[in-house]
Amino acid sequence: TQKRWYQKLNNHQLKRKLKILITGKEEGYVYLIRAERNTTDIYKIGFSKNPNRRVKELQGTIENELTVLHRIKTDDIKSLEKI
């Protein structure tokens, strides 16, 4: 049931979920990642709650070294995803 689901959340997770329910906004980051290549670097702009974890996920799909060049914290990641 939903009651048990909330019991499995720690205080930080519960506060984050409540904030999303009340405000409709969710915190996260806009990031710029570079994949280093011999001739031309490739860049990716994306959105994530955890950019470092996202780099690790992407690293498994590409053979080039990935680096987070920039990350900007935002309190409304959902509206940025629509841009």
Side-chain angles (χ1 to χ4, degrees):
T1 68
Q2 190 172 13
K3 185 177 179 181
R4 279 191 257 152
W5 180 77
Y6 281 118
Q7 289 174 345
K8 293 179 182 178
L9 297 175
N10 64 35
N11 283 341
H12 175 74
Q13 293 169 321
L14 184 57
K15 286 178 185 177
R16 189 181 71 203
K17 293 284 183 190
L18 288 173
K19 181 179 178 184
I20 294 167
L21 289 171
I22 293 167
T23 67
K25 296 180 179 181
E26 185 173 1
E27 293 180 352
Y29 294 86
V30 177
Y31 60 79
L32 174 63
I33 296 175
R34 179 181 64 211
E36 298 177 20
R37 296 178 66 189
N38 292 335
T39 57
T40 308
D41 290 346
I42 299 172
Y43 297 88
K44 175 175 178 26
I45 298 172
F47 309 93
S48 176
K49 294 177 198 169
N50 186 332
N52 293 327
R53 183 178 64 214
R54 182 67 178 135
V55 166
K56 289 178 184 176
E57 292 169 356
L58 291 171
Q59 191 65 65
T61 65
I62 188 168
E63 60 188 50
N64 305 86
E65 182 68 28
L66 298 178
T67 306
V68 177
L69 298 178
H70 298 286
R71 70 183 126 218
I72 302 168
K73 190 169 187 172
T74 176
D75 66 348
D76 194 3
I77 194 171
K78 294 295 181 186
S79 66
L80 288 174
E81 288 178 326
K82 297 173 186 175
I83 296 177

Coordinates of all heavy atoms in Angstrom, one line a residue:
T1 N 0.8 -1.2 0.0 CA 0.0 0.0 0.0 C 0.9 1.2 0.0 O 2.1 1.2 0.3 CB -0.9 0.0 1.2 OG1 -0.1 0.2 2.4 CG2 -1.8 -1.2 1.3
Q2 N 0.3 2.4 -0.3 CA 1.0 3.6 -0.3 C 1.6 4.0 1.1 O 2.7 4.5 1.2 CB 0.1 4.8 -0.7 CG 0.8 6.0 -1.0 CD -0.1 7.1 -1.6 OE1 -1.3 6.9 -1.6 NE2 0.5 8.1 -2.2
K3 N 0.9 3.6 2.2 CA 1.4 3.9 3.5 C 2.8 3.2 3.7 O 3.7 3.8 4.2 CB 0.4 3.4 4.5 CG 0.8 3.8 6.0 CD -0.3 3.4 6.9 CE 0.2 3.7 8.3 NZ -0.8 3.3 9.3
R4 N 2.9 2.0 3.3 CA 4.2 1.2 3.4 C 5.2 1.9 2.6 O 6.4 1.9 3.0 CB 4.0 -0.2 3.1 CG 3.4 -1.0 4.2 CD 3.5 -2.5 4.0 NE 2.2 -2.9 3.6 CZ 1.9 -3.9 2.8 NH1 2.8 -4.6 2.3 NH2 0.6 -4.2 2.5
W5 N 4.9 2.3 1.4 CA 5.8 3.0 0.5 C 6.5 4.2 1.2 O 7.7 4.3 1.2 CB 5.1 3.4 -0.8 CG 6.1 4.0 -1.8 CD1 7.0 3.4 -2.6 CD2 6.2 5.4 -2.0 NE1 7.6 4.3 -3.3 CE2 7.1 5.6 -3.0 CE3 5.5 6.6 -1.6 CZ2 7.5 6.8 -3.5 CZ3 5.9 7.8 -2.1 CH2 6.8 7.9 -3.1
Y6 N 5.7 5.0 1.8 CA 6.3 6.2 2.5 C 7.1 5.8 3.7 O 8.0 6.4 4.1 CB 5.2 7.1 3.0 CG 4.7 8.0 1.8 CD1 3.4 7.9 1.4 CD2 5.5 8.9 1.2 CE1 2.9 8.7 0.3 CE2 5.1 9.7 0.1 CZ 3.8 9.6 -0.3 OH 3.4 10.4 -1.3
Q7 N 6.8 4.7 4.4 CA 7.5 4.2 5.5 C 8.9 3.8 5.1 O 9.9 3.8 5.9 CB 6.8 3.0 6.2 CG 5.6 3.5 7.0 CD 4.8 2.3 7.5 OE1 5.1 1.1 7.1 NE2 3.9 2.5 8.4
K8 N 9.2 3.4 3.9 CA 10.5 3.0 3.4 C 11.4 4.2 3.1 O 12.6 4.0 2.8 CB 10.3 2.1 2.2 CG 9.7 0.8 2.5 CD 9.6 -0.1 1.3 CE 8.9 -1.4 1.6 NZ 8.7 -2.2 0.4
L9 N 10.9 5.4 3.0 CA 11.6 6.6 2.7 C 12.3 7.1 4.0 O 11.7 7.1 5.1 CB 10.8 7.7 2.2 CG 10.1 7.4 0.9 CD1 9.1 8.6 0.5 CD2 11.1 7.2 -0.3
N10 N 13.6 7.6 3.8 CA 14.2 8.3 5.0 C 13.7 9.7 5.0 O 12.9 10.1 4.2 CB 15.7 8.2 4.9 CG 16.3 8.9 3.7 OD1 15.8 10.0 3.3 ND2 17.4 8.4 3.1
N11 N 14.1 10.5 6.1 CA 13.5 11.8 6.2 C 13.8 12.7 5.0 O 13.0 13.5 4.6 CB 14.1 12.4 7.5 CG 13.4 11.9 8.7 OD1 12.3 11.3 8.7 ND2 14.1 12.1 9.9
H12 N 15.0 12.6 4.5 CA 15.4 13.5 3.4 C 14.5 13.1 2.2 O 14.0 14.0 1.5 CB 16.9 13.3 3.0 CG 17.3 14.0 1.8 ND1 17.5 15.4 1.8 CD2 17.6 13.6 0.5 CE1 17.8 15.8 0.6 NE2 17.9 14.7 -0.2
Q13 N 14.4 11.9 1.9 CA 13.5 11.4 0.8 C 12.1 11.9 0.9 O 11.4 12.3 0.0 CB 13.6 9.9 0.6 CG 15.0 9.4 0.2 CD 15.1 7.9 0.3 OE1 14.6 7.3 1.2 NE2 15.8 7.3 -0.7
L14 N 11.6 11.7 2.1 CA 10.2 12.1 2.4 C 10.0 13.6 2.2 O 9.0 14.1 1.6 CB 9.8 11.7 3.8 CG 8.4 12.0 4.2 CD1 7.4 11.3 3.3 CD2 8.1 11.5 5.6
K15 N 11.0 14.4 2.7 CA 10.9 15.9 2.5 C 10.9 16.3 1.1 O 10.1 17.1 0.6 CB 12.0 16.6 3.3 CG 11.8 16.6 4.8 CD 13.0 17.3 5.4 CE 12.9 17.2 6.9 NZ 14.1 17.7 7.6
R16 N 11.7 15.6 0.3 CA 11.8 15.9 -1.1 C 10.5 15.5 -1.9 O 10.0 16.3 -2.7 CB 13.0 15.1 -1.8 CG 13.3 15.5 -3.2 CD 14.4 14.7 -3.8 NE 13.9 13.3 -4.0 CZ 14.6 12.3 -4.1 NH1 15.9 12.3 -4.0 NH2 14.1 11.1 -4.2
K17 N 9.9 14.3 -1.5 CA 8.7 13.9 -2.1 C 7.6 14.9 -1.8 O 6.7 15.3 -2.6 CB 8.3 12.5 -1.7 CG 9.2 11.4 -2.2 CD 9.0 11.1 -3.6 CE 9.9 10.0 -4.1 NZ 9.9 9.8 -5.5
L18 N 7.5 15.3 -0.5 CA 6.5 16.3 -0.1 C 6.6 17.6 -0.8 O 5.6 18.2 -1.2 CB 6.5 16.5 1.4 CG 6.0 15.3 2.2 CD1 6.2 15.5 3.7 CD2 4.5 15.0 2.0
K19 N 7.9 18.1 -1.0 CA 8.1 19.3 -1.7 C 7.6 19.2 -3.1 O 7.0 20.1 -3.6 CB 9.6 19.7 -1.7 CG 9.9 21.0 -2.4 CD 11.3 21.3 -2.3 CE 11.6 22.6 -3.1 NZ 13.0 23.0 -3.1
I20 N 7.9 18.1 -3.8 CA 7.4 17.9 -5.2 C 5.9 17.9 -5.2 O 5.3 18.5 -6.1 CB 8.0 16.6 -5.7 CG1 9.5 16.7 -5.9 CG2 7.3 16.3 -7.1 CD1 10.2 15.4 -6.1
L21 N 5.2 17.2 -4.3 CA 3.8 17.2 -4.2 C 3.2 18.5 -4.0 O 2.2 18.9 -4.6 CB 3.3 16.2 -3.2 CG 3.6 14.7 -3.5 CD1 3.3 13.9 -2.2 CD2 2.7 14.2 -4.6
I22 N 3.8 19.3 -3.1 CA 3.2 20.6 -2.8 C 3.5 21.7 -3.8 O 2.6 22.4 -4.2 CB 3.8 21.1 -1.4 CG1 3.2 20.2 -0.3 CG2 3.4 22.5 -1.1 CD1 3.9 20.3 1.0
T23 N 4.7 21.8 -4.3 CA 5.1 22.8 -5.2 C 5.1 22.4 -6.7 O 5.0 23.3 -7.5 CB 6.6 23.3 -4.9 OG1 7.5 22.3 -5.2 CG2 6.7 23.8 -3.5
G24 N 5.1 21.1 -6.9 CA 5.2 20.7 -8.3 C 6.6 20.8 -8.9 O 6.8 20.6 -10.1
K25 N 7.6 21.2 -8.0 CA 9.0 21.4 -8.5 C 9.9 20.4 -7.9 O 9.7 19.9 -6.8 CB 9.5 22.8 -8.1 CG 8.7 23.9 -8.7 CD 9.2 25.2 -8.3 CE 8.5 26.4 -9.0 NZ 9.0 27.7 -8.6
E26 N 10.9 20.0 -8.6 CA 11.9 19.1 -8.2 C 13.3 19.6 -8.4 O 13.6 20.1 -9.5 CB 11.7 17.7 -9.0 CG 12.6 16.6 -8.5 CD 12.2 15.3 -9.2 OE1 11.3 15.3 -10.0 OE2 12.9 14.3 -8.8
E27 N 14.2 19.5 -7.4 CA 15.6 19.9 -7.6 C 16.4 19.0 -8.4 O 16.1 17.8 -8.5 CB 16.2 20.0 -6.2 CG 15.6 21.1 -5.3 CD 16.3 21.2 -4.0 OE1 17.1 20.3 -3.6 OE2 16.0 22.2 -3.2
G28 N 17.4 19.5 -9.1 CA 18.3 18.7 -9.9 C 19.4 19.6 -10.5 O 19.6 20.7 -10.0
Y29 N 20.0 19.1 -11.5 CA 21.1 19.8 -12.1 C 21.0 19.8 -13.7 O 20.5 18.8 -14.2 CB 22.5 19.1 -11.8 CG 22.8 19.2 -10.4 CD1 22.4 18.3 -9.5 CD2 23.7 20.2 -9.9 CE1 22.7 18.3 -8.1 CE2 24.0 20.3 -8.6 CZ 23.5 19.4 -7.7 OH 23.9 19.4 -6.4
V30 N 21.4 20.9 -14.3 CA 21.7 20.9 -15.7 C 23.2 20.6 -15.8 O 23.9 21.2 -15.1 CB 21.3 22.2 -16.3 CG1 21.7 22.3 -17.8 CG2 19.9 22.6 -16.1
Y31 N 23.6 19.7 -16.7 CA 25.0 19.4 -16.8 C 25.5 19.5 -18.2 O 24.8 19.4 -19.2 CB 25.3 18.1 -16.2 CG 24.6 16.9 -16.9 CD1 25.1 16.4 -18.1 CD2 23.5 16.4 -16.4 CE1 24.4 15.4 -18.8 CE2 22.8 15.3 -17.0 CZ 23.3 14.8 -18.2 OH 22.7 13.8 -18.8
L32 N 26.8 19.7 -18.4 CA 27.5 19.7 -19.6 C 28.6 18.6 -19.5 O 29.5 18.8 -18.6 CB 28.1 21.0 -20.0 CG 29.0 21.1 -21.2 CD1 28.2 20.7 -22.5 CD2 29.6 22.5 -21.4
I33 N 28.6 17.6 -20.3 CA 29.5 16.5 -20.3 C 30.3 16.5 -21.6 O 29.8 16.7 -22.7 CB 28.8 15.1 -20.1 CG1 28.1 15.1 -18.8 CG2 29.8 14.0 -20.2 CD1 27.3 13.8 -18.6
R34 N 31.6 16.3 -21.5 CA 32.5 16.1 -22.7 C 33.0 14.7 -22.8 O 33.5 14.1 -21.8 CB 33.7 17.1 -22.6 CG 34.6 17.0 -23.8 CD 35.8 17.9 -23.7 NE 36.6 17.5 -22.6 CZ 37.3 18.4 -21.9 NH1 37.3 19.7 -22.1 NH2 38.0 18.0 -20.8
A35 N 32.9 14.2 -24.0 CA 33.5 12.9 -24.3 C 34.8 13.2 -25.1 O 34.7 13.8 -26.2 CB 32.6 12.0 -25.1
E36 N 35.9 12.9 -24.6 CA 37.2 13.3 -25.2 C 37.5 12.3 -26.4 O 37.4 11.1 -26.2 CB 38.3 13.3 -24.2 CG 38.1 14.3 -23.1 CD 39.2 14.2 -22.1 OE1 40.3 13.7 -22.3 OE2 39.0 14.7 -21.0
R37 N 37.8 12.9 -27.5 CA 38.1 12.1 -28.7 C 39.4 12.6 -29.3 O 39.8 13.8 -29.0 CB 37.0 12.1 -29.7 CG 35.7 11.5 -29.2 CD 34.6 11.6 -30.2 NE 34.9 10.8 -31.4 CZ 34.2 10.9 -32.5 NH1 33.1 11.6 -32.6 NH2 34.5 10.1 -33.5
N38 N 40.1 11.9 -30.1 CA 41.4 12.3 -30.7 C 41.2 13.5 -31.6 O 42.0 14.5 -31.5 CB 42.0 11.2 -31.6 CG 42.4 10.0 -30.7 OD1 42.7 10.2 -29.5 ND2 42.5 8.8 -31.3
T39 N 40.2 13.6 -32.4 CA 40.1 14.7 -33.3 C 39.1 15.8 -32.9 O 39.3 16.9 -33.0 CB 39.8 14.2 -34.8 OG1 38.5 13.4 -34.7 CG2 40.9 13.3 -35.3
T40 N 37.9 15.3 -32.4 CA 36.9 16.2 -32.1 C 36.2 15.7 -30.8 O 35.8 14.6 -30.7 CB 35.8 16.3 -33.2 OG1 36.4 16.5 -34.4 CG2 34.7 17.3 -32.9
D41 N 36.0 16.6 -29.8 CA 35.3 16.3 -28.6 C 33.8 16.3 -28.9 O 33.3 17.1 -29.7 CB 35.6 17.2 -27.5 CG 37.1 17.1 -27.0 OD1 37.7 16.0 -27.3 OD2 37.5 17.9 -26.3
I42 N 33.1 15.5 -28.2 CA 31.6 15.5 -28.2 C 31.0 16.0 -26.9 O 31.6 15.6 -25.9 CB 31.1 14.0 -28.5 CG1 31.6 13.5 -29.8 CG2 29.6 14.0 -28.5 CD1 31.3 12.0 -30.0
Y43 N 30.0 16.8 -27.0 CA 29.4 17.4 -25.8 C 28.0 16.9 -25.6 O 27.3 16.7 -26.6 CB 29.5 18.9 -25.8 CG 30.9 19.4 -25.8 CD1 31.6 19.5 -27.0 CD2 31.5 19.7 -24.7 CE1 32.9 20.0 -27.1 CE2 32.9 20.1 -24.7 CZ 33.5 20.3 -25.9 OH 34.8 20.7 -25.9
K44 N 27.5 16.8 -24.4 CA 26.1 16.4 -24.1 C 25.6 17.4 -23.0 O 26.2 17.5 -22.0 CB 26.0 15.0 -23.6 CG 24.6 14.6 -23.2 CD 24.5 13.2 -22.8 CE 23.1 12.7 -22.3 NZ 22.0 13.5 -22.7
I45 N 24.5 18.0 -23.2 CA 23.8 18.8 -22.2 C 22.6 18.0 -21.8 O 21.9 17.4 -22.6 CB 23.3 20.1 -22.8 CG1 24.5 21.0 -23.3 CG2 22.5 20.9 -21.7 CD1 24.1 22.2 -24.0
G46 N 22.4 17.8 -20.5 CA 21.3 17.0 -20.0 C 20.9 17.5 -18.6 O 21.3 18.5 -18.1
F47 N 20.0 16.7 -18.0 CA 19.4 17.0 -16.7 C 19.4 15.8 -15.9 O 19.2 14.7 -16.4 CB 17.9 17.4 -16.9 CG 17.7 18.5 -17.9 CD1 17.4 18.2 -19.2 CD2 17.8 19.8 -17.6 CE1 17.2 19.2 -20.2 CE2 17.6 20.8 -18.5 CZ 17.3 20.5 -19.8
S48 N 19.8 16.0 -14.6 CA 19.9 14.8 -13.7 C 19.8 15.3 -12.3 O 20.2 16.4 -12.0 CB 21.2 14.1 -13.9 OG 21.3 13.0 -13.0
K49 N 19.3 14.4 -11.4 CA 19.4 14.7 -10.0 C 20.8 14.5 -9.5 O 21.2 15.0 -8.5 CB 18.4 13.8 -9.2 CG 17.0 14.1 -9.5 CD 16.1 13.1 -8.8 CE 14.7 13.1 -9.4 NZ 13.9 12.0 -9.0
N50 N 21.6 13.6 -10.2 CA 22.9 13.3 -9.7 C 23.8 13.2 -11.0 O 23.9 12.1 -11.6 CB 22.9 12.0 -9.0 CG 24.3 11.6 -8.4 OD1 25.3 12.0 -8.9 ND2 24.2 10.9 -7.3
P51 N 24.5 14.3 -11.4 CA 25.3 14.3 -12.6 C 26.4 13.3 -12.6 O 26.7 12.7 -13.6 CB 25.8 15.7 -12.7 CG 24.9 16.5 -11.9 CD 24.4 15.6 -10.8
N52 N 27.1 13.1 -11.4 CA 28.2 12.1 -11.4 C 27.7 10.7 -11.6 O 28.4 9.9 -12.3 CB 28.9 12.2 -10.0 CG 29.6 13.5 -9.8 OD1 30.1 14.1 -10.8 ND2 29.6 14.0 -8.6
R53 N 26.5 10.3 -11.1 CA 26.0 9.0 -11.3 C 25.6 8.9 -12.8 O 25.8 7.8 -13.4 CB 24.8 8.8 -10.5 CG 24.2 7.4 -10.6 CD 23.0 7.1 -9.7 NE 21.9 8.0 -10.1 CZ 21.0 8.5 -9.3 NH1 21.1 8.2 -8.0 NH2 20.1 9.3 -9.7
R54 N 25.1 10.0 -13.4 CA 24.7 9.9 -14.8 C 25.9 9.7 -15.7 O 25.9 8.9 -16.7 CB 24.0 11.3 -15.2 CG 23.6 11.3 -16.6 CD 22.5 10.3 -16.9 NE 22.0 10.4 -18.2 CZ 21.8 9.4 -19.0 NH1 21.9 8.2 -18.6 NH2 21.4 9.6 -20.3
V55 N 27.1 10.3 -15.3 CA 28.3 10.1 -16.1 C 28.7 8.6 -16.0 O 29.1 8.0 -17.0 CB 29.5 11.0 -15.6 CG1 30.8 10.5 -16.1 CG2 29.2 12.4 -15.9
K56 N 28.6 8.0 -14.9 CA 28.9 6.6 -14.7 C 28.0 5.7 -15.6 O 28.5 4.7 -16.2 CB 28.9 6.2 -13.3 CG 30.0 6.7 -12.4 CD 29.9 6.3 -11.0 CE 30.9 7.0 -10.1 NZ 30.8 6.7 -8.7
E57 N 26.7 6.1 -15.6 CA 25.8 5.3 -16.5 C 26.2 5.5 -18.0 O 26.2 4.5 -18.7 CB 24.4 5.9 -16.3 CG 23.8 5.6 -14.9 CD 22.5 6.3 -14.7 OE1 22.1 7.1 -15.5 OE2 21.9 6.1 -13.6
L58 N 26.5 6.7 -18.4 CA 26.8 6.9 -19.8 C 28.2 6.3 -20.1 O 28.4 5.9 -21.2 CB 26.9 8.4 -20.0 CG 25.5 9.1 -20.0 CD1 25.7 10.7 -20.1 CD2 24.6 8.7 -21.2
Q59 N 29.1 6.3 -19.2 CA 30.4 5.8 -19.4 C 30.4 4.3 -19.9 O 31.2 3.9 -20.7 CB 31.3 5.9 -18.2 CG 32.8 5.6 -18.4 CD 33.4 6.6 -19.3 OE1 33.5 7.8 -19.0 NE2 33.9 6.2 -20.5
G60 N 29.4 3.6 -19.4 CA 29.3 2.2 -19.9 C 28.8 2.1 -21.3 O 28.9 1.0 -21.9
T61 N 28.3 3.2 -21.9 CA 27.8 3.1 -23.3 C 28.8 3.7 -24.3 O 28.5 3.6 -25.5 CB 26.5 3.8 -23.4 OG1 26.7 5.2 -23.1 CG2 25.5 3.2 -22.4
I62 N 29.9 4.3 -23.8 CA 30.8 5.0 -24.8 C 32.2 4.6 -24.3 O 32.5 4.5 -23.1 CB 30.5 6.5 -24.8 CG1 31.3 7.2 -25.9 CG2 30.8 7.1 -23.4 CD1 30.9 8.6 -26.1
E63 N 33.1 4.5 -25.3 CA 34.5 4.1 -24.9 C 35.4 5.3 -24.6 O 36.4 5.1 -24.0 CB 35.1 3.3 -26.1 CG 35.2 4.1 -27.4 CD 35.6 3.2 -28.5 OE1 35.1 2.1 -28.7 OE2 36.5 3.6 -29.3
N64 N 35.0 6.5 -24.9 CA 35.7 7.7 -24.6 C 35.6 8.1 -23.2 O 34.6 7.8 -22.5 CB 35.3 8.8 -25.5 CG 35.4 8.4 -27.0 OD1 34.5 7.8 -27.5 ND2 36.5 8.7 -27.6
E65 N 36.6 8.8 -22.6 CA 36.5 9.3 -21.3 C 35.5 10.4 -21.2 O 35.5 11.4 -22.0 CB 37.9 9.8 -20.9 CG 38.0 10.3 -19.4 CD 37.8 9.2 -18.4 OE1 38.2 8.1 -18.7 OE2 37.3 9.5 -17.3
L66 N 34.6 10.4 -20.2 CA 33.6 11.4 -20.0 C 34.0 12.3 -18.8 O 34.4 11.8 -17.8 CB 32.2 10.8 -19.8 CG 31.7 9.9 -20.9 CD1 30.3 9.4 -20.5 CD2 31.5 10.7 -22.1
T67 N 33.7 13.6 -19.0 CA 34.0 14.6 -17.9 C 32.9 15.5 -17.8 O 32.4 16.0 -18.8 CB 35.3 15.4 -18.3 OG1 36.4 14.5 -18.6 CG2 35.7 16.3 -17.1
V68 N 32.4 15.8 -16.5 CA 31.4 16.8 -16.3 C 32.2 18.1 -16.3 O 33.0 18.4 -15.4 CB 30.7 16.6 -14.9 CG1 29.7 17.7 -14.7 CG2 30.0 15.3 -14.9
L69 N 31.9 19.0 -17.3 CA 32.5 20.3 -17.3 C 31.8 21.3 -16.5 O 32.5 22.2 -15.8 CB 32.6 20.8 -18.8 CG 33.3 19.9 -19.8 CD1 33.2 20.5 -21.2 CD2 34.8 19.8 -19.3
H70 N 30.5 21.3 -16.5 CA 29.7 22.3 -15.7 C 28.5 21.6 -15.2 O 27.9 20.7 -15.8 CB 29.3 23.5 -16.6 CG 30.4 24.2 -17.1 ND1 31.2 25.1 -16.3 CD2 30.9 24.3 -18.4 CE1 32.1 25.6 -17.1 NE2 32.0 25.2 -18.3
R71 N 28.0 22.0 -14.1 CA 26.7 21.6 -13.5 C 26.1 22.8 -12.8 O 26.8 23.5 -12.1 CB 26.8 20.4 -12.6 CG 27.5 20.6 -11.4 CD 27.7 19.3 -10.6 NE 29.1 19.2 -10.2 CZ 29.7 18.1 -10.2 NH1 29.2 17.0 -10.4 NH2 31.0 18.1 -9.9
I72 N 24.8 23.0 -13.1 CA 24.1 24.2 -12.5 C 22.9 23.6 -11.7 O 22.1 22.9 -12.3 CB 23.7 25.2 -13.5 CG1 24.9 25.7 -14.3 CG2 22.9 26.3 -12.9 CD1 24.5 26.4 -15.6
K73 N 22.9 23.9 -10.4 CA 21.7 23.4 -9.6 C 20.5 24.3 -9.9 O 20.6 25.5 -10.1 CB 22.1 23.5 -8.1 CG 21.1 22.8 -7.3 CD 21.6 22.6 -5.8 CE 20.6 21.8 -5.1 NZ 21.0 21.4 -3.8
T74 N 19.4 23.6 -10.0 CA 18.1 24.3 -10.2 C 17.0 23.7 -9.2 O 17.2 22.5 -8.8 CB 17.6 24.1 -11.7 OG1 16.3 24.7 -11.8 CG2 17.5 22.6 -12.1
D75 N 16.1 24.5 -8.9 CA 15.0 24.0 -8.0 C 13.8 23.5 -8.8 O 12.8 23.2 -8.3 CB 14.6 25.0 -7.0 CG 14.0 26.3 -7.6 OD1 14.0 26.4 -8.9 OD2 13.4 27.1 -6.9
D76 N 13.9 23.6 -10.2 CA 12.7 23.2 -11.0 C 13.2 22.5 -12.3 O 13.1 22.9 -13.4 CB 11.9 24.4 -11.4 CG 10.6 24.1 -11.9 OD1 10.2 22.9 -12.0 OD2 9.8 25.0 -12.3
I77 N 13.8 21.3 -12.1 CA 14.3 20.5 -13.2 C 13.3 20.1 -14.2 O 13.5 20.0 -15.4 CB 15.1 19.3 -12.7 CG1 15.9 18.6 -13.8 CG2 14.1 18.2 -12.1 CD1 16.9 17.6 -13.3
K78 N 12.0 19.9 -13.8 CA 11.0 19.5 -14.7 C 10.7 20.5 -15.7 O 10.5 20.2 -16.9 CB 9.7 19.2 -13.9 CG 9.8 18.0 -13.0 CD 10.0 16.7 -13.8 CE 10.1 15.5 -12.8 NZ 10.5 14.3 -13.5
S79 N 10.7 21.8 -15.4 CA 10.4 22.8 -16.4 C 11.6 23.0 -17.3 O 11.4 23.3 -18.5 CB 10.0 24.2 -15.7 OG 11.2 24.7 -15.1
L80 N 12.8 22.7 -16.9 CA 13.9 22.8 -17.7 C 14.0 21.7 -18.8 O 14.5 21.8 -19.9 CB 15.2 22.8 -16.9 CG 15.5 24.1 -16.2 CD1 16.8 23.9 -15.3 CD2 15.7 25.2 -17.1
E81 N 13.4 20.5 -18.4 CA 13.4 19.4 -19.3 C 12.5 19.7 -20.5 O 12.7 19.1 -21.6 CB 12.8 18.1 -18.6 CG 13.8 17.5 -17.6 CD 13.2 16.3 -16.9 OE1 12.0 16.3 -16.6 OE2 14.0 15.4 -16.6
K82 N 11.6 20.7 -20.4 CA 10.7 21.0 -21.5 C 11.3 22.0 -22.5 O 10.8 22.2 -23.5 CB 9.4 21.6 -20.9 CG 8.6 20.7 -20.0 CD 7.5 21.4 -19.4 CE 6.8 20.4 -18.4 NZ 5.7 21.1 -17.6
I83 N 12.4 22.6 -22.1 CA 13.1 23.6 -23.0 C 13.8 22.8 -24.1 O 14.4 21.8 -24.0 CB 14.1 24.4 -22.2 CG1 13.3 25.2 -21.2 CG2 14.9 25.3 -23.1 CD1 14.2 26.0 -20.3

